């Protein structure tokens, strides 16, 4: 590959050159949502992070199979092993079928992802549709001697596994630390060890979602689904497994243990994790009153929001920070992101107004700017640095339009292609239209007509009419700029 990607591997805690197992094919698995409620800002960050990775790998020429799962069974309310299934609970309270709950919130999740311009994955498997594969995984782990049956449930034997392998190598924990921090839970007596986790749970009589198995009528443990579906669609060894930092332990740690126990070696080559989003410095949570859904952001309907924020503002806000750093939400931060996004969109419009010259002004190097964008993307997806280069391009565009610099035909074409590639194709930014029925175009023509009348008034030295038109449009929120060729205008939000 012309541009070699370096990514931070959580497993080794260092940046590594990305070398796919089966080049040019890349297998990528990302933990998707548990669909029992509306998508929130925490859902947006991993979706956008791995959308960027998907886009960039594809641009580099790799053939990517991107699998993002849907958790619709086995995610229990109190703990990974105990409590009521979150989807089943919602179905019981609202007197619905569990799959009605799943489909309702999945439709809303997809709508939010589409608004954020997150590309759909290659495959989006449901845990409930892969019960057979999860039963087969549990049986392989039993056959290997790393699990045991207890009162109809099957548990992974962490202590026995740890004698032969290292349980905790992803999170950096040792088994003694895990034992010391494991809470006492209802049903703990079923386990040999408090750190053991459920591979299969026997369903209580009131449990709605259940399937037959060799051990009991029950349901798979939460951790089993990703291992089983990753293996089914990407094979026993694949390149990238991603998700939020909160999944490192216990979910992804348990996944590693399951894969090694069932097949003898690691399944995943690179582990990637995005960091958290906080709200005014505090972790987002419903009990704290700072839990904001994406729909609330888009409509401005949450009490913490000073205004509504467009999906592209949310996307740009997330991309302004490196995916491994914490992002703190505040109205001020989102308003700054809104202005930054508009600056880039204005620059794209400004590109179309540039008339090429015979040569480019001294000191301007479009090839170097393009190379810096690639360098940033290839350095562990450094999107903030890409944005910085795009802002530099925006400054250059404004300078050329002000008549203070020139671009040759070839450099102008290269700048347009670079801007579109990194801002739109890779970063996934897109222009947002408030209407698609032609009214915006009509409004634009009216404004143009008024400003043409203003130009005629100025030519006739009718300053009163000229000022009246300008002041009226300014009061309505339009920004008017006189240029050597006539005028420019935009509507400020």
């Amino acid at each position: 590959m012309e541009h070699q990607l370096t990514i931070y591997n959580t497993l080794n805690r260092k940046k590594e050159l990305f070398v796919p197992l089966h080049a040019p094919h890349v297998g990528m698995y990302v933990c998707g949502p548990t669909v029992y409620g509306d998508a929130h800002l925490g859902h947006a960050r991993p979706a956008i992070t791995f959308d960027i990775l998907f886009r960039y790998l594809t641009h580099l020429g790799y053939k990517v199979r991107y699998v993002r799962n849907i958790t619709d069974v086995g995610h229990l309310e109190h703990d990974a092993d105990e409590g009521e299934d979150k989807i089943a609970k919602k179905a019981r309270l609202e007197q619905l079928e569990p799959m009605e709950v799943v489909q309702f919130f999945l439709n809303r999740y997809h709508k939010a992802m589409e608004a954020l311009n997150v590309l759909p994955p290659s495959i989006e498997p449901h845990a409930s549709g892969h019960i057979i594969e999860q039963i087969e995984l549990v049986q392989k782990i039993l056959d290997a001697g790393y699990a045991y049956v207890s009162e109809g449930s099957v548990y992974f034997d962490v202590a026995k596994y740890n004698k032969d392998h290292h349980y905790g190598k992803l999170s950096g924990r040792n088994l003694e630390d895990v034992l010391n921090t494991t809470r006492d839970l209802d049903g703990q007596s079923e386990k040999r060890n408090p750190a053991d986790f459920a591979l299969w749970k026997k369903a209580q009589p009131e449990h709605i979602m259940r399937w037959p198995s060799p051990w009991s009528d029950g349901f798979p443990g939460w951790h089993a689904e990703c291992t089983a579906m990753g293996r089914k669609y990407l094979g026993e060894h694949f390149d990238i497994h991603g998700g939020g930092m909160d999944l490192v332990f216990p979910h992804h740690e348990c996944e590693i243990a399951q894969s090694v126990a069932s097949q003898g070696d690691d399944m995943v080559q690179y582990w990637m994790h995005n960091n958290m989003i906080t709200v005014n410095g505090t972790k987002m949570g419903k009990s704290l009153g700072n839990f904001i859904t994406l729909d609330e952001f888009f409509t401005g309907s949450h009490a913490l929001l000073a205004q509504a924020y467009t999906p592209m503002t949310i996307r740009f806000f997330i991309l302004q920070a490196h995916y491994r750093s914490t992002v703190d939400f505040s109205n001020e931060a989102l308003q700054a992101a809104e202005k930054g996004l508009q600056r880039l969109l204005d620059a794209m419009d400004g590109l179309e107004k540039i008339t090429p010259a015979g040569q480019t002004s001294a000191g301007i190097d479009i090839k170097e700017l393009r190379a810096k964008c690639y360098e940033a993307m290839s350095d562990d997806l450094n999107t903030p640095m890409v944005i910085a280069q795009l802002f530099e391009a925006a400054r250059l565009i404004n300078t050329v339009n002000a008549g203070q610099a020139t671009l040759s035909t070839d450099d102008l074409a290269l700048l347009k292609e670079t801007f579109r590639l990194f801002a739109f194709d890779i970063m996934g930014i897109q222009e947002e239209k408030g209407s698609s029925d032609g009214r915006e175009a009509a409004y634009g023509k009216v404004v143009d007509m008024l400003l043409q009348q203003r130009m005629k008034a100025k030519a006739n030295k009718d300053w009163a009419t000229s000022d009246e038109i300008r002041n009226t449009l300014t009061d309505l929120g339009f920004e008017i700029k006189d240029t050597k060729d006539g005028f420019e205008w935009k509507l400020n939000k």
Side-chain angles (χ1 to χ4, degrees):
M1 295 293 168
E2 181 182 355
H3 302 281
Q4 294 186 312
L5 174 63
T6 300
I7 59 177
Y8 183 88
N9 190 346
T10 307
L11 185 62
N12 299 327
R13 293 167 182 75
K14 64 180 181 180
K15 289 183 184 179
E16 295 183 341
L17 181 65
F18 177 66
V19 181
L21 291 166
H22 308 292
H25 298 272
V26 171
M28 182 169 81
Y29 190 103
V30 175
C31 290
T34 304
V35 283
Y36 68 96
D38 275 332
H40 52 78
L41 199 58
H43 286 127
R45 192 164 198 200
I48 290 172
T49 295
F50 292 100
D51 180 59
I52 294 292
L53 179 59
F54 183 29
R55 288 169 180 269
Y56 192 54
L57 287 172
T58 302
H59 169 69
L60 293 180
Y62 292 109
K63 298 176 181 177
V64 185
R65 177 176 289 175
Y66 175 16
V67 181
R68 184 182 68 204
N69 70 295
I70 298 297
T71 299
D72 58 358
V73 65
H75 204 308
L76 305 186
E77 190 164 26
H78 300 140
D79 181 81
D81 294 341
E82 303 297 334
E84 188 173 5
D85 185 286
K86 293 180 180 180
I87 292 170
K89 179 181 180 180
K90 198 165 190 73
R92 175 176 57 78
L93 292 175
E94 299 185 13
Q95 296 185 323
L96 298 171
E97 283 291 328
M99 288 303 113
E100 281 186 272
V101 174
V102 169
Q103 195 63 54
F104 176 80
F105 287 110
L106 184 56
N107 289 345
R108 292 174 68 85
Y109 174 79
H110 284 155
K111 186 177 179 181
M113 293 303 106
E114 184 179 356
L116 292 167
N117 199 24
V118 170
L119 299 176
S122 313
I123 305 172
E124 193 174 56
H126 290 232
S128 62
H130 296 77
I131 301 299
I132 292 175
E133 289 83 356
Q134 292 174 80
I135 289 174
E136 290 174 350
L137 170 67
V138 175
Q139 188 60 60
K140 285 183 179 180
I141 296 173
L142 279 167
D143 293 344
Y146 292 114
Y148 57 91
V149 181
S150 177
E151 300 181 26
S153 295
V154 183
Y155 292 98
F156 190 94
D157 193 333
V158 171
K160 185 172 183 180
Y161 172 85
N162 194 59
K163 289 180 181 178
D164 301 326
H165 308 282
H166 178 197
Y167 180 80
K169 65 181 182 179
L170 182 66
S171 59
R173 306 183 186 205
N174 59 52
L175 185 56
E176 185 176 344
D177 293 336
V178 174
L179 291 174
N180 289 337
T181 57
T182 302
R183 296 182 290 112
D184 288 333
L185 304 168
D186 294 336
Q188 190 75 54
S189 60
E190 290 185 3
K191 300 181 182 182
R192 297 175 183 171
N193 188 310
D196 294 349
F197 57 91
L199 297 170
W200 184 266
K201 285 289 292 182
K202 179 180 179 180
Q204 298 303 310
E206 68 275 9
H207 199 92
I208 304 174
M209 303 169 78
R210 59 174 66 218
W211 291 265
S213 80
W215 316 288
S216 65
D217 277 7
F219 54 94
W222 169 40
H223 310 306
E225 63 182 85
C226 293
T227 305
M229 293 190 292
R231 178 178 291 155
K232 178 178 177 66
Y233 294 110
L234 298 174
E236 290 191 349
H237 303 98
F238 59 88
D239 298 292
I240 298 170
H241 195 321
M245 195 75 77
D246 57 322
L247 297 178
V248 171
F249 187 88
H251 185 48
H252 288 164
E253 197 72 76
C254 293
E255 278 198 64
I256 289 176
Q258 289 171 159
S259 64
V260 173
S262 60
Q263 68 185 42
D265 60 359
D266 283 307
M267 181 181 291
V268 178
Q269 187 176 14
Y270 302 94
W271 287 88
M272 295 181 68
H273 296 90
N274 63 271
N275 215 322
M276 297 186 303
I277 291 181
T278 57
V279 179
N280 295 320
T282 305
K283 185 177 180 181
M284 187 168 60
K286 290 184 178 179
S287 62
L288 299 173
N290 63 1
F291 184 87
I292 309 174
T293 69
L294 289 175
D295 190 59
E296 287 171 331
F297 272 105
F298 301 159
T299 61
S301 57
H302 194 281
L304 289 177
L305 299 175
Q307 63 181 77
Y309 297 99
T310 69
M312 282 303 101
T313 298
I314 299 296
R315 185 178 180 103
F316 190 74
F317 165 70
I318 288 173
L319 293 178
Q320 282 182 305
H322 191 272
Y323 76 89
R324 286 192 287 111
S325 65
T326 302
V327 173
D328 187 50
F329 155 79
S330 68
N331 281 287
E332 293 77 13
L334 272 178
Q335 287 162 1
E338 185 176 58
K339 291 178 181 177
L341 172 62
Q342 192 58 50
R343 182 180 169 191
L344 289 187
L345 296 177
D346 288 345
M348 195 66 206
D349 290 339
L351 263 175
E352 302 304 321
K353 298 172 183 176
I354 294 177
T355 300
Q359 62 183 14
T360 297
S361 297
I364 297 176
D365 191 338
I366 305 302
K367 290 182 180 178
E368 182 183 10
L369 186 148
R370 181 184 179 90
K372 287 181 177 178
C373 288
Y374 271 116
E375 182 182 350
M377 279 303 304
S378 295
D379 182 16
D380 196 27
L381 308 181
N382 195 338
T383 56
M385 188 57 67
V386 176
I387 290 173
Q389 295 304 320
L390 292 175
F391 279 154
E392 176 61 23
R395 185 195 64 78
L396 174 61
I397 291 165
N398 292 336
T399 301
V400 174
N401 274 323
Q404 299 171 3
T406 59
L407 288 173
S408 68
T409 300
D410 288 346
D411 276 347
L412 177 58
L414 183 61
L415 181 57
K416 286 182 178 180
E417 196 275 332
T418 299
F419 209 100
R420 289 193 180 97
L421 170 63
F422 286 95
F424 294 170
D425 297 346
I426 294 175
M427 303 287 281
I429 300 299
Q430 62 182 7
E431 293 198 53
E432 294 172 301
K433 301 295 183 183
S435 171
S436 59
D437 60 5
R439 285 179 294 175
E440 286 187 353
Y443 295 154
K445 290 179 181 179
V446 170
V447 175
D448 286 341
M449 182 183 68
L450 287 171
L451 290 175
Q452 290 287 355
Q453 293 298 318
R454 177 173 173 267
M455 287 181 66
K456 290 179 181 180
K458 287 175 64 178
N460 294 329
K461 298 184 179 180
D462 183 357
W463 309 118
T465 300
S466 171
D467 290 345
E468 183 182 5
I469 293 173
R470 181 186 184 94
N471 293 340
T472 299
L473 289 174
T474 300
D475 290 344
L476 291 171
F478 290 91
E479 183 178 320
I480 312 299
K481 182 180 179 182
D482 292 318
T483 68
K484 60 181 181 178
D485 298 320
F487 57 82
E488 293 178 0
W489 65 268
K490 67 178 181 179
L491 179 60
N492 292 320
K493 295 181 179 179

